[in-house]
Amino acid sequence: MSPLVVGAILFGAMLVLMAIRVPIAIAMFVPGALGYIVLSGAMPLLSHLKGALYARFSVYDLSVIPLFLLMGQFATQGGLSRALFRAAAAFVGHFRGGLAMAAVLACAAFGAICGSSVATAATVAQVALPEMRKYNYSGRLSTATLAAGGTLGILIPPSVVLVVYAILTEQNIAKLFAAALLPGILAMLGYIVVIAIYCRVRPELATPSEPMPWRERFVALAGVWSIVAIFVVVFGGIYGGLFSPTEGAAVGAASTFLAALAQRELSLEGIKRSFLGTAETSAMVFMVFLGADMMNSALALTQMPMHLANWVGGLHVPPLVIVGFVLLMYVVLGCVMDELSMLLLTIPVIFPAVMALELFGLAPEMKAIWFGILVLMTVGIGLIAPPVGLNVYVVNGIARDVPMQETYKGVFPFLISDVLRLLALLAFPVLSLGLVRLWF
């Protein structure tokens, strides 16, 4: 049996295990280990495992993941999302679809101190859904807006997905964060435009609220000063050279903790839940890391990444077409896999092939950063696309009275916005690389 055939069997076995609900880390680790034994033997596998665990988890940059997760937990438990939604609703809530727009703005602001899509969707939904129901917003519009808005949790820095990509491809985390900032803002504006058009075509879906007096608007705006300060301190410090992204994550977690205490909503029980939630999510992420490392080690023995890179390099088609097909593959995979598993499994195989392409004359580092932003945007599509849009399931778990198919119907206009933004980023790399070149 040739190594390439073994590689194909391993990949198929992994997908079967995922389909029967085996935990993703195990679904990747077991076929990977068995494939390693077939290709090299049991003793080489034990020798590999002896150093693989330490080699993976001793990476200093990995500490940024639990720190940003803790930052998001403190923001969630401290009620900061409520202040964000209240401030956004004060200024745009009186427009048709204004509360849905406010939810998107709150998701974007919360994502700037969270880094998790699911946490952003779930937290803002708990605050925004009751308000939208109060003004007779349709369940379709409300849940679709929150599911799509939740993706801003990873599209706007800090992003756990970008941190993982940076570690896998050995890129600068701060530069990736800078590259994601403008595309993340474009995503937010695109969603707001979708809501405005949607509510103009179907005005019965959303009833405007009464305009709020200007004094009350400024009082609501004053309630989010701490969140603005956290964002400025963390990212100003990172890009000002005061501290590294890992140190910035630590500063952000400590600052968010203090801001949550100032809100007087963070109880001792909430602090416990914050640390427990961070530990559980971090453990899940690191276990997926371990499973993906095992699978990728077995695939490396099959020389599949090298064969793929050579095959791609020999294709007589424009490089942008190849990148487009890669992104399409990510959209399909995103419909059945979570974003971290997808990245950890595919980046070691796909990345060398993409780096071998000639794309706009970009230097290798710029090419890696640009591709990372494209992957990030594609992952965002997978979070709301059927049949397994994770954000849709999260929001529907809160709005149990709204049928799942209604949310998916409402999500399609947002998916159109996502695709248009992805095409723009694919055609114009300056949209993601402009700030990197300006700041670095």
Side-chain angles (χ1 to χ4, degrees):
M1 189 181 300
S2 72
L4 286 178
V5 172
V6 173
I9 292 173
L10 294 182
F11 200 81
M14 179 201 70
L15 293 178
V16 169
L17 290 174
M18 287 181 178
I20 61 175
R21 303 290 183 177
V22 173
I24 291 172
I26 298 174
M28 289 190 286
F29 186 90
V30 171
L34 293 176
Y36 205 104
I37 291 172
V38 170
L39 294 166
S40 291
M43 291 308 295
L45 171 64
L46 295 176
S47 179
H48 168 75
L49 290 176
K50 180 177 65 177
L53 189 66
Y54 178 80
R56 167 53 68 193
F57 296 141
S58 63
V59 177
Y60 174 73
D61 287 344
L62 274 179
S63 59
V64 77
I65 294 176
L67 287 171
F68 275 132
L69 289 174
L70 182 61
M71 187 174 169
Q73 287 285 342
F74 283 146
T76 301
Q77 299 295 335
L80 297 180
S81 59
R82 189 174 294 107
L84 287 169
F85 179 74
R86 192 180 297 125
F91 284 88
V92 300
H94 57 284
F95 297 118
R96 185 168 294 279
L99 289 180
M101 296 177 188
V104 169
L105 292 172
C107 284
F110 193 79
I113 56 171
C114 178
S116 167
S117 172
V118 171
T120 300
T123 304
V124 177
Q126 292 173 12
V127 178
L129 270 175
E131 285 297 312
M132 286 194 273
R133 281 173 173 155
K134 178 180 175 182
Y135 286 94
N136 297 316
Y137 275 57
S138 74
R140 177 189 297 187
L141 176 63
S142 302
T143 54
T145 297
L146 290 164
T151 63
L152 296 173
I154 60 168
L155 300 185
I156 292 180
S159 167
V160 172
V161 172
L162 271 188
V163 171
V164 171
Y165 178 86
I167 293 169
L168 292 175
T169 59
E170 299 181 350
Q171 299 302 313
N172 185 293
I173 295 175
K175 290 182 179 181
L176 279 164
F177 281 176
L181 189 57
L182 181 57
I185 293 172
L186 289 176
M188 177 190 74
L189 295 176
Y191 291 161
I192 290 174
V193 170
V194 165
I195 293 168
I197 296 173
Y198 205 177
C199 292
R200 184 172 291 274
V201 175
R202 300 282 303 277
E204 73 278 6
L205 295 179
T207 304
S209 62
E210 292 296 321
M212 190 176 289
W214 279 100
R215 183 176 178 279
E216 293 183 25
R217 295 186 191 184
F218 287 119
V219 169
L221 188 63
V224 300
W225 68 267
S226 59
I227 300 165
V228 176
I230 291 169
F231 186 84
V232 170
V233 168
V234 172
F235 289 96
I238 290 173
Y239 296 121
L242 295 179
F243 37 70
S244 68
T246 304
E247 293 165 343
V251 170
S255 301
T256 307
F257 174 70
L258 294 176
L261 287 178
Q263 290 285 117
R264 297 183 179 180
E265 293 192 34
L266 185 62
S267 62
L268 180 60
E269 186 60 33
I271 295 173
K272 291 179 181 178
R273 284 198 297 268
S274 296
F275 281 107
L276 181 60
T278 300
E280 289 175 344
T281 307
S282 298
M284 180 273 294
V285 171
F286 291 160
M287 285 300 293
V288 173
F289 257 113
L290 190 60
D293 282 350
M294 186 70 259
M295 174 61 78
N296 286 321
S297 295
L299 291 177
L301 290 176
T302 69
Q303 298 185 338
M304 185 179 287
M306 184 188 70
H307 285 294
L308 180 62
N310 291 336
W311 178 72
V312 168
L315 291 175
H316 298 292
V317 295
L320 271 183
V321 173
I322 296 173
V323 175
F325 274 112
V326 169
L327 297 179
L328 183 61
M329 177 200 73
Y330 275 118
V331 171
V332 174
L333 286 177
C335 294
V336 296
M337 294 176 68
D338 72 273
E339 64 271 23
L340 283 181
S341 304
M342 187 168 61
L343 282 186
L344 288 166
L345 184 66
T346 60
I347 287 299
V349 178
I350 296 295
F351 184 73
V354 173
M355 293 300 289
L357 298 173
E358 179 62 34
L359 293 161
F360 300 105
L362 295 173
E365 183 187 32
M366 292 294 103
K367 192 190 305 181
I369 291 173
W370 173 68
F371 181 64
I373 301 306
L374 291 177
V375 170
L376 178 71
M377 296 296 136
T378 310
V379 165
I381 293 175
L383 286 167
I384 58 174
V388 192
L390 186 57
N391 276 18
V392 173
Y393 280 83
V394 169
V395 173
N396 267 91
I398 297 171
R400 296 183 181 276
D401 57 321
V402 181
M404 187 77 69
Q405 60 267 29
E406 280 295 298
T407 303
Y408 274 126
K409 288 178 183 177
V411 154
F412 274 107
F414 295 99
L415 286 173
I416 294 172
S417 171
D418 285 340
V419 171
L420 292 176
R421 183 178 69 256
L422 183 62
L423 291 175
L425 293 170
L426 182 63
F428 304 104
V430 68
L431 292 175
S432 28
L433 300 178
L435 288 180
V436 179
R437 289 168 174 160
L438 180 64
W439 289 346
F440 295 93

